[in-house]
């Protein structure tokens, strides 16, 4: 399952101090002496992948964006997913990883989460191009008669639609400003049938633009043989496959557990016609947020600036200061889930990391299987998190974990389904409503019921309550203290809500609904408990390294206290 996670190859366990020290040196060395110049037209950086999936192409793309953003370029990013689904919303997270939710409510590939976290931007549905969306547009145009008289074909009609979609996304203003550089990550591996029209569109785009306006980066695997020697053959083959499609890479990023040495770089350079300075080693580092530092140290920024004729600017150091912060403590958080696959909860994992880092605390995550949960596993962790989810599998285990947290005083954070189950648990055990359920999981007293606007919904794709909604936080509550304001905007993805019929009785039994949106319950908490907070919204989607999500920070601080006792 590890190859599901594009980040997984970048993430072994511990933090390496010597690495951080040398990276600090490297940043200090680059940080001087260049002029600034405006970019007068949009530049494209296209990232393709070779050899196999799961190389960390998404993290590499996000990191390339980061090193340019550190130089004050306005960077945007587009992910191409060559599948026929319109979006990721209907896909099984156990196969494709988390469904990430954007502010505009689109359900997208998890790489967009990486772009948002690395680049600190808010993307839109335009920024995730899928074969499904492209074909839908082409077919709609055909039905309208836009191509009247023509035979509609992959070339030029589909490829034109792809190019138009890329440009539309690239030019979309972020924070009111037109981007200067657009990263375009082509999902899948070069050679896949699915990605062919997209690579053809890139080939055409390259021909249409001046050479300094588009750079092609190929991310490939450089494995090690049993003797510990690095092997270049897979790279040679994947570059050959790219060339057969009329695409010559300008830069090759080599992924592997070990850095690519100069001799191997020279070999790749001579076989693939890329200067050895443009063969960039991206070896596995302890933390994904250190990847930009690796690329920086390898001189990628210089190579890119030269190719794109961009002014070489000194990088800002704020990102590096955040990601190189040393840990002084540690907490262990148990995440109760039915999947046991980290990729399904990548935003939660990152949000915990952001919150921990802001308090110099390393967060160790213990994945607890909701279907075989034992109380002693819960006793071993410093805090319990019940994440979002769908369906009845594993529900009893999650309810047990919530009960344990409520009774033992261990910090608890519930998210979306975790919030709904916290209400069910309270109703069952504190109000004595043994038949309390969520309508989603069975029959009984429906304390969680279908949202009124969901009654007429039959189609599954894009029909939940989705995206950003203003949420009001009640005065004098934990959640209000954590956010430090009365109104926040958070992202949603659900069909069910707390049944208004039961709110009064549940509240009078002691569970406080501390946040609402248009009369809907958005958060609950238990006054008197050390930290018992659950939200209907998903705070994990808006957490960033430099601005961790307040509920996560509160949870981590409570875990630290719990551990210290
Ligand atoms: N299944 C629940 C609902 O649809 C919760 C969804 C979630 O956790 N994202 O309301």
């Amino acid at each position: 399952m590890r190859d599901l996670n594009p980040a997984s190859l970048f993430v072994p366990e511990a933090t390496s101090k010597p690495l951080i020290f040398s990276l600090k040196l490297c940043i200090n060395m680059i940080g001087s002496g260049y002029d600034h110049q405006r970019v007068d037209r949009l530049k494209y950086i296209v990232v393709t992948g070779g050899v196999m999936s799961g190389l960390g192409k998404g993290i590499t793309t996000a990191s390339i964006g980061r090193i340019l953003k550190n130089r004050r370029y306005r960077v945007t990013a587009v992910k191409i997913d060559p599948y026929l689904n319109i979006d990721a919303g209907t896909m099984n997270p156990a196969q494709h990883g988390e469904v990430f939710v954007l502010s505009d409510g689109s359900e997208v590939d998890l790489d967009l989460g990486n772009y948002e976290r690395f680049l600190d931007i808010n993307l839109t549905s335009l920024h995730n191009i899928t074969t499904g969306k492209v074909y839908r547009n082409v077919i709609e145009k055909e039905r309208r008669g836009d191509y009247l008289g023509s035979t509609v074909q992959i070339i030029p009609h589909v490829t034109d639609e792809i190019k138009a979609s890329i440009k539309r996304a690239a030019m979309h203003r972020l924070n009111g400003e037109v981007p200067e550089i657009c990263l375009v990550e082509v999902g899948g591996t070069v050679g896949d049938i699915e990605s062919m029209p997209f690579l053809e569109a890139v080939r055409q785009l390259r021909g249409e633009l001046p050479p300094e306006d588009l750079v092609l980066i190929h991310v490939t695997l450089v494995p090690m043989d049993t003797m510990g020697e690095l092997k270049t053959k897979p790279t040679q083959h994947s570059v050959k496959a790219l060339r057969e499609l009329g695409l010559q890479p300008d830069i090759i990023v080599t992924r592997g557990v070990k850095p690519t040495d100069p001799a191997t770089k020279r070999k790749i350079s001579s076989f693939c016609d890329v200067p050895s300075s443009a063969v960039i080693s991206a070896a596995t580092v302890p933390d994904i947020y250190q990847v930009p530092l690796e690329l920086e140290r390898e001189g990628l920024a210089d190579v890119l600036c030269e190719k794109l004729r961009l002014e070489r600017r000194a990088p800002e150091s704020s990102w590096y200061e955040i990601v190189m912060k040393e840990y002084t403590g540690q907490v262990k958080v148990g995440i109760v889930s039915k999947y046991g696959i980290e990729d399904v909860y990548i935003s939660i994992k990152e949000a915990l990391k952001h919150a921990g880092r802001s308090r110099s605390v390393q967060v160790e995550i213990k994945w607890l299987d909701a279907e075989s949960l034992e109380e002693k596993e819960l006793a071993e962790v410093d805090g319990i998190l019940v994440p979002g989810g769908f369906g009845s599998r594993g529900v009893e285990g999650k309810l047990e974990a919530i009960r344990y947290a409520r009774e033992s005083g261990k910090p608890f954070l519930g998210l979306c389904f975790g919030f709904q189950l916290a209400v069910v648990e309270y109703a069952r055990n504190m109000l004595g409503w043994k038949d309390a359920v969520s309508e989603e999981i069975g029959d009984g007293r429906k304390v969680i019921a279908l949202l009124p606007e969901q009654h007429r919904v039959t189609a599954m794709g894009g029909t939940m309550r989705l995206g950003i909604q203003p949420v009001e936080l009640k005065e004098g509550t934990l959640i209000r203290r954590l956010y430090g304001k009365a109104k926040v905007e958070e992202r949603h993805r659900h069909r069910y809500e707390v049944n208004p019929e039961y709110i009064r009785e549940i509240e009078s039994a002691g569970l406080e609904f501390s946040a609402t949106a248009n009369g809907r319950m958005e958060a609950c908490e238990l006054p008197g408990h050390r930290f018992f907070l659950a939200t209907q919204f998903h705070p994990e989607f808006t957490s960033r390294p430099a601005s961790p999500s307040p509920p996560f920070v509160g949870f981590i601080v409570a875990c630290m206290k719990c551990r210290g006792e």
Side-chain angles (χ1 to χ4, degrees):
M1 284 302 171
R2 207 159 156 76
D3 75 335
L4 274 173
N5 184 350
S8 63
L9 278 168
F10 280 123
V11 195
E13 276 59 50
T15 312
S16 127
K17 284 198 184 135
L19 169 83
I20 287 177
F21 180 69
S22 62
L23 291 170
K24 265 184 190 159
L25 268 182
C26 144
I27 297 303
N28 290 342
M29 275 159 38
I30 338 171
S32 62
Y34 297 115
D35 292 336
H36 298 185
Q37 199 181 58
R38 300 238 330 265
V39 184
D40 54 6
R41 53 178 196 263
L42 196 75
K43 310 265 180 182
Y44 293 91
I45 299 174
V46 178
V47 183
T48 57
V51 185
M52 63 175 212
S53 61
L55 277 183
K57 192 151 46 88
I59 300 292
T60 306
T61 305
S63 301
I64 294 167
R66 188 69 232 182
I67 63 177
L68 293 166
K69 177 132 185 179
N70 288 345
R71 287 169 170 74
R72 291 169 303 283
Y73 286 109
R74 295 194 299 273
V75 185
T76 188
V78 179
K79 172 78 194 288
I80 290 174
D81 282 308
Y83 43 66
L84 276 155
N85 306 58
I86 297 286
D87 60 39
T90 53
M91 289 160 87
N92 181 351
Q95 273 175 39
H96 284 270
E98 170 184 278
V99 177
F100 191 76
V101 181
L102 300 175
S103 295
D104 68 2
S106 24
E107 301 167 283
V108 295
D109 183 78
L110 59 79
D111 275 326
L112 275 87
N114 289 321
Y115 304 161
E116 287 204 341
R117 288 185 282 267
F118 275 73
L119 298 172
D120 201 8
I121 50 178
N122 288 320
L123 296 169
T124 70
S125 97
L126 290 178
H127 298 93
N128 196 185
I129 301 172
T130 63
T131 302
K133 284 183 189 167
V134 170
Y135 274 75
R136 184 176 64 181
N137 288 352
V138 169
I139 291 167
E140 277 172 8
K141 282 185 183 166
E142 188 278 333
R143 291 288 82 188
R144 268 203 312 267
D146 292 7
Y147 305 121
L148 220 51
S150 326
T151 308
V152 182
Q153 293 176 300
I154 296 194
I155 302 169
H157 302 99
V158 169
T159 47
D160 281 353
E161 185 62 38
I162 293 170
K163 285 185 285 179
S165 306
I166 294 174
K167 287 180 191 162
R168 225 174 3 245
M171 278 180 285
H172 183 83
R173 287 171 184 267
L174 299 179
N175 279 337
E177 291 185 310
V178 180
E180 295 167 314
I181 299 165
C182 178
L183 294 147
V184 182
E185 179 188 349
V186 184
T189 307
V190 170
D192 295 346
I193 290 179
E194 286 86 352
S195 54
M196 291 294 183
F198 294 101
L199 294 171
E200 168 58 16
V202 170
R203 189 195 66 78
Q204 292 175 15
L205 197 60
R206 172 167 247 189
E208 291 162 18
L209 294 172
E212 67 271 24
D213 283 8
L214 189 148
V215 158
L216 184 62
I217 301 184
H218 189 57
V219 181
T220 173
L221 177 71
V222 177
M224 216 172 6
D225 68 8
T226 45
M227 309 296 286
E229 196 186 320
L230 293 179
K231 308 307 285 182
T232 66
K233 197 70 83 192
T235 299
Q236 294 176 40
H237 281 293
S238 78
V239 170
K240 185 166 166 253
L242 202 53
R243 284 167 159 175
E244 280 168 4
L245 302 173
L247 289 166
Q248 166 65 36
D250 300 297
I251 294 168
I252 293 177
V253 174
T254 56
R255 290 281 300 114
V257 283
K258 208 171 110 175
T260 308
D261 57 80
T264 309
K265 283 186 179 178
R266 280 196 296 277
K267 202 164 162 187
I268 292 172
S269 157
S270 64
F271 276 113
C272 304
D273 294 321
V274 166
S276 54
S277 61
V279 180
I280 304 292
S281 166
T284 299
V285 288
D287 176 1
I288 52 168
Y289 298 114
Q290 288 171 5
V291 177
L293 291 127
E294 281 293 292
L295 301 180
E296 193 73 79
R297 188 167 55 175
E298 283 281 306
L300 178 61
D302 282 351
V303 179
L304 271 175
C305 290
E306 194 186 312
K307 289 260 177 238
L308 294 171
R309 303 245 181 96
L310 291 173
E311 197 58 37
R312 288 181 182 185
R313 298 176 182 169
E316 278 170 358
S317 59
S318 55
W319 172 269
Y320 303 111
E321 278 152 21
I322 297 167
V323 306
M324 293 188 308
K325 204 162 168 183
E326 283 181 29
Y327 295 121
T328 52
Q330 208 187 23
V331 294
K332 201 192 269 186
V333 171
I335 299 186
V336 186
S337 85
K338 66 176 178 186
Y339 290 113
I341 303 166
E342 298 185 20
D343 249 27
V344 176
Y345 305 110
I346 184 162
S347 293
I348 293 177
K349 197 172 112 190
E350 295 308 316
L352 285 169
K353 225 153 94 180
H354 304 157
R357 188 162 256 146
S358 75
R359 293 292 182 277
S360 302
V361 172
Q362 188 164 30
V363 182
E364 187 196 332
I365 295 174
K366 189 114 181 47
W367 300 96
L368 304 176
D369 183 349
E371 288 179 285
S372 61
L373 193 64
E374 286 181 32
E375 194 161 305
K376 68 172 191 310
E377 295 179 289
L378 295 169
E380 278 167 14
V381 295
D382 306 312
I384 297 165
L385 192 154
V386 177
F390 294 83
S392 50
R393 188 159 68 84
V395 159
E396 294 307 319
K398 291 178 188 178
L399 290 169
E400 261 320 285
I402 297 167
R403 185 196 55 78
Y404 178 88
R406 184 175 54 73
E407 289 177 355
S408 68
K410 214 157 244 198
F412 166 72
L413 183 62
L415 305 172
C416 202
F417 202 34
F419 161 80
Q420 298 173 355
L421 293 179
V423 176
V424 171
E425 191 281 324
Y426 204 78
R428 283 191 189 178
N429 298 324
M430 297 303 284
L431 283 131
W433 299 344
K434 292 295 165 208
D435 62 340
V437 280
S438 162
E439 193 172 347
E440 180 180 7
I441 54 181
D443 274 337
R445 197 188 299 236
K446 291 169 188 159
V447 292
I448 304 293
L450 204 58
L451 283 158
E453 68 267 30
Q454 289 286 328
H455 284 290
R456 276 161 285 114
V457 171
T458 49
M460 297 299 278
T463 55
M464 285 188 240
R465 179 180 182 225
L466 290 165
I468 213 131
Q469 313 255 341
V471 176
E472 292 186 30
L473 312 179
K474 214 164 111 189
E475 182 109 44
T477 58
L478 167 67
I479 196 163
R480 171 82 172 254
R481 262 202 316 284
L482 291 173
Y483 279 95
K485 51 186 168 188
K487 209 169 190 172
V488 294
E489 293 205 312
E490 290 285 8
R491 299 182 190 177
H492 296 72
R493 183 175 189 247
H494 66 114
R495 287 190 203 282
Y496 299 85
E497 66 166 341
V498 179
N499 190 340
E501 269 182 49
Y502 298 111
I503 292 171
R504 214 177 37 82
E505 277 172 281
I506 295 171
E507 282 215 300
S508 43
L511 187 69
E512 182 171 16
F513 290 110
S514 51
T516 54
N518 282 332
R520 278 182 184 151
M521 300 305 107
E522 287 278 351
C524 68
E525 54 191 73
L526 263 184
H529 188 286
R530 180 195 280 119
F531 188 97
F532 189 99
L533 176 68
T535 61
Q536 178 62 81
F537 55 83
H538 289 267
E540 70 273 24
F541 291 139
T542 42
S543 178
R544 308 271 161 88
S547 49
S549 164
F552 281 85
V553 175
F555 177 60
I556 291 298
V557 170
C559 291
M560 283 159 66
K561 285 198 191 125
C562 179
R563 191 183 178 96
E565 280 167 11

